[in-house]
Amino acid sequence: HKKNMADTTWRLIHLLKSRANPESPVSKFSTGNLETLKLEPEKAGKSLPQALRKFHQENYCSSRMHLVIMRNASIEQQLAAAERSFGSLSSKGCEARPYYDDIPMFSHELGNLGRKFKVHTDGSPQLWLTFPMMSLQGQYKTMPEAYINYALSHYGPGSLKALLKREDLALHYSTMLETTPMSWFRCRKRADPDLLLDPEGCRGIGSNH
């Protein structure tokens, strides 16, 4: 947790996630310290060991896992190895992983779209933009998110990246597509362009252009 708090990128990502719909697992925080994970819950009569056992029982089961094997062996040998290592896992009392496609992370109705936050950093100024997208779970074969990422990252003529470079508005430009912050949940996706601004870009942001 101390390592994460010193990471500007990590802090910015969790700041954006914290503004998501509270009913969506995207809004959950992924790390903590002794105070938040143990001492404060114990004051409220909660037990950390019991909570961990409950989480393990509800999530570490076959119906919530996928197994991928890459090995120089026959199919029969791979299946036998998988059975030896994972055959004891039970799905008893464990429901399939939930979907959250019908729960919007961000929307105008929730009042968490179009918001702007300023965060101090010790490095170069950056501009982060987050675009929530519809669920693409049903299009896993065509992978439309790969096309979106390519379009945002493209550096050819007429591209956004080329324009930012040509106008001296950004020194660096990158994008990130994320399905979910936690492997236990299936949610909608987001696209996060990240711009490392030069002085001209900072002036443009400051003047709301």
Side-chain angles (χ1 to χ4, degrees):
H1 182 71
K2 291 182 179 180
K3 169 183 66 66
N4 290 337
M5 291 302 294
D7 187 329
T8 300
T9 298
W10 185 91
R11 290 190 290 117
L12 287 172
I13 289 175
H14 278 275
L15 170 62
L16 295 173
K17 290 178 178 178
S18 70
R19 298 305 187 265
N21 186 350
E23 297 183 4
S24 168
V26 172
S27 65
K28 295 181 180 294
F29 204 70
S30 61
T31 66
N33 55 25
L34 179 64
E35 185 72 25
T36 61
L37 294 178
K38 186 176 188 298
L39 300 182
E40 289 183 6
E42 286 179 347
K43 292 178 182 178
K46 299 178 181 179
S47 169
L48 176 61
Q50 290 181 5
L52 290 174
R53 292 190 191 100
K54 182 175 183 293
F55 182 85
H56 189 279
Q57 181 180 2
E58 293 178 350
N59 294 283
Y60 282 77
C61 51
S62 58
S63 58
R64 291 201 172 198
M65 294 183 176
H66 296 285
L67 176 63
V68 178
I69 301 177
M70 298 182 65
R71 183 181 178 188
N72 185 18
S74 67
I75 297 297
E76 291 75 15
Q77 290 174 322
Q78 294 185 53
L79 289 174
E83 178 64 28
R84 286 195 302 270
S85 299
F86 303 99
S88 61
L89 285 174
S90 172
S91 60
K92 183 179 180 180
C94 182
E95 299 178 357
R97 287 189 299 169
Y99 285 84
Y100 293 88
D101 291 350
D102 57 342
I103 300 179
M105 293 186 295
F106 301 91
S107 70
H108 291 293
E109 290 73 20
L110 293 169
N112 58 2
L113 269 182
R115 302 184 66 182
K116 181 171 66 174
F117 304 96
K118 292 183 178 180
V119 179
H120 172 76
T121 66
D122 294 324
S124 301
Q126 300 180 36
L127 172 65
W128 285 57
L129 303 172
T130 297
F131 302 96
M133 299 185 296
M134 68 175 65
S135 172
L136 302 174
Q137 188 73 28
Q139 289 77 41
Y140 66 94
K141 288 185 178 181
T142 56
M143 298 179 61
E145 65 271 25
Y147 174 80
I148 295 172
N149 188 55
Y150 174 79
L152 290 173
S153 304
H154 183 53
Y155 196 20
S159 68
L160 174 60
K161 189 172 184 178
L163 174 64
L164 293 170
K165 292 284 189 177
R166 186 176 70 246
E167 298 295 329
D168 290 329
L169 295 175
L171 300 173
H172 172 75
Y173 174 93
S174 62
T175 60
M176 176 179 64
L177 281 168
E178 183 177 12
T179 305
T180 167
M182 293 175 289
S183 60
W184 309 110
F185 302 101
R186 300 174 184 177
C187 316
R188 295 165 181 253
K189 295 179 180 287
R190 356 185 284 265
D192 298 315
D194 173 21
L195 288 71
L196 181 61
L197 302 174
D198 64 7
E200 184 63 29
C202 292
R203 285 192 291 270
I205 295 298
S207 60
N208 293 324
H209 290 307

